[in-house]
Amino acid sequence: MATQLFQKIQQLKHQRNAVILAHNYQPGEIQDLADFCGDSLELSRKAAQTSAEIIVFCGVQFMAETAAILSPEKTVLLPDKFAGCPLADMITAEQLRQLKHQNPDALVVCYVNSSAEVKAESDYCCTSANAVEVVNSLPANRPIIFIPDQHLGRFVIERTGRNLILWPGYCPTHVVITIEDIKKVKEKYHDAIVMAHPECTEPVKELADQILSTGQMLKFVRTSSVKKFIVATEIGIIHTLKKQNPQTEFIAASDRAICPNMKKITLDKIISSLEDMQYKVTVPEEIRMKAKKALDRMVEILPEK
Ligand code: SF4
């Protein structure tokens, strides 16, 4: 059945001159089907580089929006219009305007997990991989508002020594991972390295050997001689880790670390998306231009390697 669906998607993709991009947290079969897998920013860059006219973005709303911000001439489709990100929804543009009003001298750094409107109100964008470098590059005499993820924010405070103004946002999928989960798996796999995403809570990060973004986890494992890892992030990444490192063992820190929004994308929905050209993700031009500035500033600080 899955093979038939795969074939149908390949056929439609060809007819439409489309490319399929999938986030590392997508279900395994969708990662297998995709032309490119990666983190949100890698995928948006792929979207900008591709010669395909249609981009089927297997991820969540803010990721598809970021692709639309960087590639306005392409059609960006999100196969499930309800695939949102609760973390991105935890701050609105209006709430950010109020925060800026209360801190008129502050620069705003927003995590890429935010809406286009929030990016448009921000000075700089960042990812979990480069948040420390972005903050380190800013003038020492300026206060910094960091939104929306408080846990990533605390990680940046610890690494930079800067006193950030945080917003109480969090990723519901990462905060379900507890210290008890880590202790339990560590007891069983005492020789494994614990990798935790910066969106995890502080006690969990304290127990980790490495605090890494998804892209950094993939790289770290590839270059490590260790053959056993405990993975404290959304479990979808274990599919890619196993594929890239078949001889290595990966243990999920918690089987509950599943993002329900990421799992909304299915093969059937990708077919409907390509057949009916749905659901188009667009960003109004005025917002797009401002949001792009925040993304461009991040790239200027940290050019693509
Ligand atoms: S894992 Fe967390 S941050 Fe990522 S899309 Fe899901 S809710 Fe948003």
Side-chain angles (χ1 to χ4, degrees):
M1 183 59 180
T3 317
Q4 280 172 351
L5 297 178
F6 268 50
Q7 281 168 356
K8 175 99 181 151
I9 291 169
Q10 294 305 338
Q11 195 189 343
L12 283 165
K13 210 176 76 175
H14 190 69
Q15 280 168 11
R16 294 283 195 199
N17 185 19
V19 69
I20 298 178
L21 306 181
H23 190 268
N24 293 323
Y25 295 162
Q26 282 290 295
E29 58 187 3
I30 292 181
Q31 294 192 40
D32 291 343
L33 165 92
D35 297 295
F36 299 103
C37 280
D39 64 27
S40 54
L41 199 72
E42 278 165 4
L43 294 179
S44 295
R45 281 175 170 156
K46 282 283 178 216
Q49 288 159 4
T50 178
S51 58
E53 292 160 72
I54 316 271
I55 293 153
V56 181
F57 211 115
C58 302
V60 295
Q61 178 76 25
F62 80 83
M63 298 177 182
E65 264 184 11
T66 308
I69 291 166
L70 297 176
S71 310
E73 71 293 352
K74 291 172 189 152
T75 301
V76 180
L77 302 174
L78 184 63
D80 185 314
K81 66 176 170 185
F82 297 112
C85 168
L87 167 60
D89 294 340
M90 282 181 193
I91 187 163
T92 63
E94 182 48 35
Q95 286 170 316
L96 177 54
R97 279 192 287 273
Q98 282 174 19
L99 195 58
K100 283 164 65 173
H101 186 70
Q102 290 156 11
N103 300 278
D105 296 335
L107 291 167
V108 179
V109 178
C110 82
Y111 187 24
V112 71
N113 298 33
S114 53
S115 68
E117 289 81 5
V118 165
K119 287 186 180 74
E121 287 289 334
S122 302
D123 299 299
Y124 295 84
C125 227
C126 74
T127 68
S128 51
N130 63 30
V132 168
E133 286 155 289
V134 169
V135 167
N136 262 337
S137 76
L138 302 181
N141 60 347
R142 294 285 298 272
I144 299 169
I145 294 171
F146 188 93
I147 51 156
D149 190 273
Q150 59 178 302
H151 300 294
L152 176 61
R154 291 204 190 95
F155 169 71
V156 175
I157 290 173
E158 196 211 296
R159 292 284 162 105
T160 62
R162 298 286 298 258
N163 187 19
L164 307 180
I165 301 157
L166 298 180
W167 186 256
Y170 61 91
C171 162
T173 299
H174 283 86
V175 301
V176 299
I177 305 171
T178 62
I179 39 172
E180 286 72 31
D181 290 327
I182 306 280
K183 282 181 182 161
K184 213 162 112 190
V185 270
K186 260 184 109 165
E187 236 169 66
K188 197 164 166 201
Y189 303 93
H190 49 88
D191 51 345
I193 285 197
V194 181
M195 302 189 291
H197 192 277
E199 285 173 25
C200 291
T201 62
E202 287 59 55
V204 164
K205 283 183 288 203
E206 270 166 36
L207 288 182
D209 300 299
Q210 296 286 332
I211 302 168
L212 303 166
S213 69
T214 53
Q216 289 168 336
M217 283 183 192
L218 292 168
K219 199 169 164 195
F220 181 74
V221 171
R222 260 199 312 271
T223 53
S224 170
S225 57
V226 175
K227 294 287 170 223
K228 219 176 272 177
F229 292 90
I230 294 164
V231 184
T233 188
E234 211 279 350
I235 61 170
I237 196 170
I238 293 182
H239 182 80
T240 320
L241 284 165
K242 279 187 179 159
K243 233 164 112 173
Q244 293 184 358
N245 310 276
Q247 309 303 330
T248 306
E249 193 175 354
F250 298 98
I251 306 107
S254 165
D255 290 336
R256 287 168 287 120
I258 298 173
C259 174
N261 284 284
M262 282 285 179
K263 308 306 185 214
K264 281 185 178 154
I265 312 292
T266 62
L267 296 175
D268 284 322
K269 286 180 190 169
I270 296 175
I271 292 176
S272 306
S273 181
L274 280 162
E275 279 178 342
D276 304 332
M277 296 291 286
Q278 65 189 17
Y279 296 90
K280 285 189 185 145
V281 176
T282 53
V283 178
E285 190 55 15
E286 197 190 336
I287 291 173
R288 189 189 78 77
M289 290 300 289
K290 287 190 194 162
K292 188 171 178 297
K293 249 187 210 161
L295 284 160
D296 286 346
R297 286 197 191 113
M298 168 180 78
V299 177
E300 277 161 29
I301 299 168
L302 306 155
E304 199 181 350
K305 285 175 195 145

